Amino acid sequence: MSKSSQLRNKAQTFLKKGKISDAVEAYKKLLQVESRNPNLYNELGDIYLRAEDRMQAVASFEKAVDHYEKVALYNNAVAVCKKILRVVPNRLESIYKLGELKAKQKFTGEASNLFIRYFEMITADEADVRPEMVLPKVEAVLELVPEDDELHARSAELLTQVGLKIASAEIFARLIVRSAGSGDADKTDQYRGKLDLLRESLSADEQVRIDEILAECIESDDSSGADGE
């Protein structure tokens, strides 16, 4: 019998006898042998839950999610993410990670809803929002779900809220060009109105920069159209 099997059997024996702390120690030794096995982190998380140690349970579940994701076992990673959110329903990191996983599974509607929920939560307490942390997350979200205009608009509003108005303007400019290109006049007017409203709160130099961004987006779109012809 392999060392892994011996340790697993020992851990299961401890569990049957109700010796939770001994089972945890056995799993820790097992993970030294199979440190990349996501199932073991998941099982250890369950054991921590039996011990009513939610903090350690969540830490183990998160490691399971990471390892499942690395080997593209997205269904397993999603299941463990949902398990985390049953333990800690408003855990920001897990909501964002679940959005990432859903995007990788091409469930863009679910991904967008999760990302919007994440955005709403991080801006609920404006005192704790740091722009330098928000921008990389927004950029990653827009790359994961590139075609969802509503998500992009909500992202721009979030950037405005945390003071990143030029970055917000760039998103609205792209949305204006994209909606105009698809012939959606209502959306074009909606995004242009948001951009104009944003412009009112900026300095003269910043307003010039917004005009430059819009012109660059239009030029880029024109070039793409010409290339496709």
Side-chain angles (χ1 to χ4, degrees):
M1 184 181 293
S2 68
K3 185 175 181 179
S4 295
S5 297
Q6 291 175 5
L7 287 168
R8 185 184 284 274
N9 288 343
K10 185 180 291 187
Q12 293 303 315
T13 299
F14 285 139
L15 286 173
K16 288 177 182 177
K17 293 180 178 180
K19 298 181 177 181
I20 305 300
S21 60
D22 290 332
V24 167
E25 292 307 312
Y27 261 88
K28 287 181 178 179
K29 292 177 181 177
L30 182 53
L31 280 166
Q32 292 175 3
V33 180
E34 298 184 42
S35 61
R36 298 182 181 179
N37 187 337
N39 294 324
L40 296 180
Y41 290 106
N42 189 20
E43 291 165 13
L44 178 57
D46 288 333
I47 295 171
Y48 276 123
L49 282 184
R50 287 181 61 174
E52 298 184 354
D53 189 338
R54 299 199 314 164
M55 183 178 297
Q56 290 295 338
V58 168
S60 293
F61 289 144
E62 287 180 337
K63 289 177 182 177
V65 170
D66 289 340
H67 284 286
Y68 279 131
E69 186 179 11
K70 285 176 183 176
V71 293
L73 291 173
Y74 298 130
N75 286 337
N76 299 64
V78 164
V80 180
C81 250
K82 290 180 177 179
K83 189 186 292 188
I84 294 170
L85 290 170
R86 286 196 292 272
V87 177
V88 187
N90 292 323
R91 188 169 180 80
L92 277 170
E93 296 87 346
S94 298
I95 293 169
Y96 183 86
K97 175 57 70 175
L98 189 55
E100 278 189 317
L101 293 167
K102 287 295 184 179
K104 290 180 179 180
Q105 291 179 303
K106 307 301 182 186
F107 297 136
T108 55
E110 292 181 61
S112 293
N113 288 337
L114 285 159
F115 288 136
I116 288 172
R117 177 183 171 191
Y118 173 81
F119 290 157
E120 289 174 345
M121 290 177 67
I122 63 174
T123 54
D125 187 353
E126 294 185 25
D128 291 336
V129 179
R130 286 183 288 173
E132 67 274 12
M133 294 181 63
V134 171
L135 185 57
K137 288 289 189 183
V138 167
E139 290 174 340
V141 164
L142 301 190
E143 188 173 337
L144 283 164
V145 190
E147 302 301 326
D148 189 325
D149 288 355
E150 175 61 22
L151 177 61
H152 285 229
R154 296 292 287 273
S155 300
E157 290 166 359
L158 168 62
L159 293 176
T160 300
Q161 189 171 344
V162 300
L164 298 172
K165 295 181 180 180
I166 296 298
S168 174
E170 187 169 352
I171 295 173
F172 281 129
R174 290 200 300 266
L175 287 170
I176 289 167
V177 172
R178 189 154 73 189
S179 58
S182 66
D184 192 331
D186 289 340
K187 277 193 173 182
T188 302
D189 290 343
Q190 176 187 340
Y191 299 137
R192 192 175 292 279
K194 289 181 180 293
L195 185 60
D196 288 342
L197 186 62
L198 180 60
R199 190 194 308 270
E200 292 175 4
S201 65
L202 301 179
S203 67
D205 287 344
E206 288 172 327
Q207 290 183 35
V208 169
R209 179 57 191 143
I210 285 182
D211 290 334
E212 290 173 348
I213 289 170
L214 184 55
E216 288 165 5
C217 289
I218 292 171
E219 183 178 350
S220 175
D221 187 66
D222 289 343
S223 297
S224 298
D227 292 341
E229 288 178 357

